[in-house]
Amino acid sequence: MNKSWWQEAVVYQVYPRSFQDTNGDGIGDLQGIIKHLDYIKKLGVDVIWLNPIYSSPNDDNGYDISDYRNIMTEFGTMADFNQLLKTIHEHGLKLMMDLVVNHTSDENAWFVEAKRSVNNKYHDFYLWRDGKDGKAPNNWQSEFSGSAWQYVPSVNQYYLHLFTKKQADLNWDNSDVRHEIFDLMNWWCDKGIDGFRMDVINLISKDPAFPDDPNLKGEVHGSSMTMAANGPHVHEYLKEMYKEVLSKHDLITVGETPGASTADAIKYTGFNSHELEMVFQFEHMGVDISPTMGKWTDRPFKLVDLKRIMSRWQTELNGKAWNSLYWNNHDQPRVVSRFGNDAAEYRELSAKMLGNCLHMMQGTPYIYQGEEIGMTNVGFPKISDYHDVETLNAYKELVQDKHSVTDGQMMRYIHKHSRDNARTPMQWNDEPNAGFTAGEPWIDVNPNYDQINVANALADPNSVFYFYQKLNQLRKQYSIIVYGDYELIEPEDEQVYMYWRHLDGQKLLVVSNFTDQTLRRSIIQRRGTGHMLISNYQNDSGDQLRPYESRTYLIN
Ligand code: GLC
Ligand code: CA
């Protein structure tokens, strides 16, 4: 098997807007990240992934870039960035940048030119089509509600936007577009960054015929993203990117790939693919999603589904490609509220259980800010407390325009799935606004910050923080955690997630009780000789698993 530093690394994701404000404007900034590098280092991670920090009008919090070679005013200056990069490296950490090149902001200079006239050189940088009978060119729905097409009178055409109408999709079939993108990537690499997380990178190649989306059959809340996923030239363009950029630098790369199967992932990241190193797959994030309502549901998840999906990715990529391991990011609800139990009694236990269950798998783990202290979902009472454009658009669509659900139902779904669950400010201490800002935070702090915060976590040797720190240490110590083969035990067990890892005659047994019941599983007694590496309880109770108990044994 190939062995590379990024396979042995752990990545910590920072959402700069919500991490630490240092100038009192209520918005996190680059100086705020510098301030907490010792904290991140203490957790024992290797790489920091930053959500987009480029100039942006922030229609979608930086995923709408107006200038790829500048820093967002609210976050600081290029001098701050240079200082951040230097300080990250001084800490022995690496920096992974977000790369958003499926689309740009409509305020990007390219788009401003593009809409001037069909003869403008930049017009073809985007995906324009004539209307059909005075309507949009096809039936595609944007990911954030409504048609995926926007009409522009000055050119009498529609442009495609898979996300908001301020996020215009680039035309990757134009080689000038590709070269502009490769240039800006090389420009950042020459500054010394260490990697890219590539936003929705499997959507870059669209079928130029733009056929209607046959899957839209009267769903209440539809999306046509799959129509653009894994398109005709995507592998050709990524191989070109590899040749022009990635192969010239020693980088960690991960592509966000909604709708990618394991077979797709092997094409993108196979050890000899010359494309990417990892993908962020979404199948396991679909276990509590509705076929007709998307994430606007309160459907519970089944552990057997989660196990089946995780296990398929573990076994099908084994030896061929490399998994990313994640429960959380800036688009997902907090995992302790989602797959664990955020009631006071069980929050820390289940947060640790989820950490052990995921981090003992094969792949590179990603930790999202606050996950390491067991931060929870927030239940803001009113829609006006929310900021996320996806949430606001969906509320308008489903409650106000279509009357598909009531305000009360929708707020319940929002409490479960809104992206703002992940975006409330980092909880540093029990001072006003959780120590995030001395001003008014851009989004309210989760009121539970008086209990759940970094200061408390650092003061308590049994905290979720130190459990994650230990997971990171174990990964450095035992190569079986990084490289071992994976084998699921009892796929139909609805309460406990158990698996083996195997490497060179060694074994790991990982058992995780996903319930608040005390259960018995005899495999624990039959495992063979060895010792326990980590557990979220103080003592080993043999074959008895207490609520949310999770253990890893090393067997020689
Ligand atoms: C990705 C990002 C998400 C963003 C979208 C459009 O899914 O993670 O935050 O809204 O792409 O760029
Ligand atoms: Ca600030």
Side-chain angles (χ1 to χ4, degrees):
M1 177 185 288
N2 292 37
K3 289 191 177 179
S4 311
W5 66 266
W6 48 266
Q7 292 175 289
E8 299 175 10
V10 178
V11 181
Y12 185 80
Q13 181 188 353
V14 170
Y15 194 69
R17 176 166 289 269
S18 301
F19 197 58
Q20 176 73 66
D21 174 27
T22 57
N23 64 351
D25 67 354
I27 300 174
D29 42 50
L30 300 188
Q31 287 298 331
I33 303 169
I34 294 173
K35 183 173 164 195
H36 291 296
L37 289 176
D38 289 343
Y39 169 75
I40 296 172
K41 182 71 185 175
K42 188 177 167 100
L43 184 57
V45 300
D46 308 281
V47 179
I48 297 176
W49 154 27
L50 293 186
N51 288 95
I53 57 169
Y54 316 90
S55 302
S56 166
N58 283 304
D59 194 47
D60 185 19
N61 288 3
Y63 284 94
D64 47 324
I65 297 173
S66 52
D67 183 352
Y68 287 97
R69 288 180 168 84
N70 251 314
I71 301 297
M72 194 190 298
T73 325
E74 294 92 322
F75 289 177
T77 62
M78 194 55 84
D80 293 318
F81 174 81
N82 294 338
Q83 186 193 346
L84 173 64
L85 180 60
K86 186 164 165 275
T87 321
I88 284 176
H89 287 159
E90 282 164 6
H91 278 74
L93 296 164
K94 291 178 188 284
L95 175 64
M96 183 188 221
M97 296 282 278
D98 218 309
L99 181 77
V100 189
V101 290
N102 173 68
H103 44 266
T104 73
S105 166
D106 64 341
E107 298 181 33
N108 189 294
W110 298 338
F111 191 81
V112 172
E113 288 299 311
K115 69 179 183 200
R116 281 191 208 284
S117 118
V118 291
N119 301 318
N120 190 289
K121 161 174 189 289
Y122 290 96
H123 187 72
D124 190 49
F125 267 44
Y126 296 86
L127 295 162
W128 301 93
R129 289 294 182 277
D130 294 333
K132 258 195 199 146
D133 313 322
K135 292 208 208 87
N138 70 17
N139 69 348
W140 288 16
Q141 290 287 301
S142 104
E143 187 60 12
F144 294 156
S145 302
S147 169
W149 297 94
Q150 177 68 26
Y151 180 68
V152 176
S154 54
V155 292
N156 190 26
Q157 285 181 323
Y158 291 76
Y159 67 87
L160 180 75
H161 61 91
L162 292 174
F163 297 91
T164 78
K165 59 177 187 285
K166 287 182 68 64
Q167 294 168 294
D169 282 58
L170 284 163
N171 176 16
W172 274 71
D173 295 333
N174 180 335
S175 61
D176 290 344
V177 168
R178 301 199 299 278
H179 286 121
E180 287 282 357
I181 290 168
F182 302 155
D183 275 0
L184 73 89
M185 291 175 73
N186 277 317
W187 188 84
W188 283 99
C189 290
D190 291 343
K191 275 183 151 300
I193 67 157
D194 307 290
F196 292 109
R197 174 271 187 189
M198 302 184 194
D199 193 58
V200 290
I201 199 68
N202 67 328
L203 306 186
I204 58 175
S205 167
K206 283 90 174 173
D207 178 348
F210 288 104
D212 268 338
D213 180 351
N215 302 314
L216 291 179
K217 294 202 186 81
E219 281 84 356
V220 180
H221 177 74
S223 151
S224 302
M225 204 154 66
T226 51
M227 293 299 290
N230 314 312
H233 300 287
V234 65
H235 295 291
E236 182 188 323
Y237 297 158
L238 287 177
K239 285 191 198 322
E240 190 180 338
M241 180 195 282
Y242 183 85
K243 180 165 164 276
E244 299 295 328
V245 184
L246 306 180
S247 63
K248 298 180 182 164
H249 314 270
D250 181 19
L251 301 172
I252 175 170
T253 60
V254 55
E256 188 200 26
T257 55
S261 65
T262 50
D264 295 320
I266 292 168
K267 287 191 202 148
Y268 289 116
T269 63
F271 289 133
N272 293 312
S273 74
H274 297 307
E275 294 184 24
L276 304 173
E277 289 161 352
M278 290 170 267
V279 296
F280 286 136
Q281 59 93 7
F282 279 73
E283 288 190 325
H284 67 311
M285 294 284 110
V287 292
D288 52 3
I289 294 301
S290 145
T292 56
M293 294 286 283
K295 62 170 67 169
W296 310 114
T297 174
D298 55 5
R299 195 186 124 180
F301 83 102
K302 290 200 183 75
L303 182 61
V304 287
D305 293 339
L306 188 64
K307 296 200 306 192
R308 190 184 62 250
I309 294 167
M310 297 304 286
S311 302
R312 182 152 37 77
W313 282 84
Q314 286 289 301
T315 51
E316 292 188 7
L317 266 53
N318 188 28
K320 298 186 182 141
W322 195 248
N323 271 290
S324 70
L325 303 173
Y326 78 95
W327 288 143
N328 266 121
N329 60 43
H330 63 291
D331 294 328
Q332 299 296 335
R334 292 283 178 180
V335 72
V336 68
S337 303
R338 188 180 194 178
F339 299 151
N341 186 335
D342 62 11
E345 198 181 352
Y346 296 128
R347 183 185 63 85
E348 290 186 278
L349 278 171
S350 65
K352 292 174 189 171
M353 179 278 284
L354 289 161
N356 189 44
C357 182
L358 186 73
H359 282 235
M360 290 297 155
M361 292 184 194
Q362 189 190 72
T364 297
Y366 290 73
I367 302 169
Y368 179 65
Q369 68 181 44
E371 180 181 344
E372 77 282 11
I373 57 166
M375 277 177 63
T376 68
N377 281 353
V378 71
F380 292 135
K382 303 183 305 299
I383 186 65
S384 56
D385 298 322
Y386 286 83
H387 294 257
D388 168 31
V389 65
E390 179 190 44
T391 305
L392 298 177
N393 287 2
Y395 182 93
K396 182 172 179 300
E397 178 193 6
L398 298 173
V399 180
Q400 292 166 341
D401 297 346
K402 296 185 179 162
H403 303 287
S404 322
V405 296
T406 64
D407 168 84
Q409 282 170 315
M410 190 65 186
M411 291 313 295
R412 221 171 52 237
Y413 305 154
I414 288 173
H415 292 163
K416 275 212 131 179
H417 285 290
S418 171
R419 305 195 297 180
D420 280 342
N421 284 307
R423 300 176 181 186
T424 60
M426 183 69 181
Q427 294 165 205
W428 294 106
N429 52 46
D430 62 4
E431 288 160 29
N433 292 318
F436 165 68
T437 179
E440 273 291 302
W442 72 274
I443 184 172
D444 287 343
V445 174
N446 190 319
N448 64 21
Y449 73 86
D450 56 341
Q451 296 300 317
I452 305 172
N453 62 57
V454 168
N456 280 353
L458 292 179
D460 171 10
N462 284 321
S463 67
V464 180
F465 179 90
Y466 291 113
F467 190 89
Y468 267 78
Q469 184 190 58
K470 184 157 181 195
L471 289 172
N472 294 336
Q473 285 163 353
L474 289 170
R475 182 165 276 267
K476 296 280 178 281
Q477 223 174 321
Y478 296 100
S479 58
I480 185 172
I481 299 177
V482 179
Y483 294 110
D485 296 343
Y486 167 104
E487 183 193 350
L488 180 63
I489 303 167
E490 302 279 358
E492 299 308 323
D493 186 332
E494 292 170 5
Q495 297 167 303
V496 183
Y497 194 152
M498 304 186 285
Y499 59 89
W500 295 110
R501 302 287 304 282
H502 303 272
L503 186 73
D504 304 333
Q506 266 191 342
K507 290 200 291 187
L508 290 181
L509 174 64
V510 185
V511 294
S512 302
N513 180 356
F514 271 69
T515 76
D516 59 5
Q517 313 292 305
T518 297
L519 307 166
R520 300 195 104 86
R521 291 296 181 270
S522 61
I523 190 146
I524 300 171
Q525 302 296 51
R526 294 186 277 110
R527 70 181 182 270
T529 51
H531 69 284
M532 192 161 73
L533 292 183
I534 188 166
S535 159
N536 58 351
Y537 277 78
Q538 295 304 329
N539 60 339
D540 187 339
S541 55
D543 68 351
Q544 181 178 294
L545 288 170
R546 291 156 290 191
Y548 299 103
E549 181 154 9
S550 185
R551 298 181 214 148
T552 297
Y553 295 98
L554 178 70
I555 296 133
N556 295 307

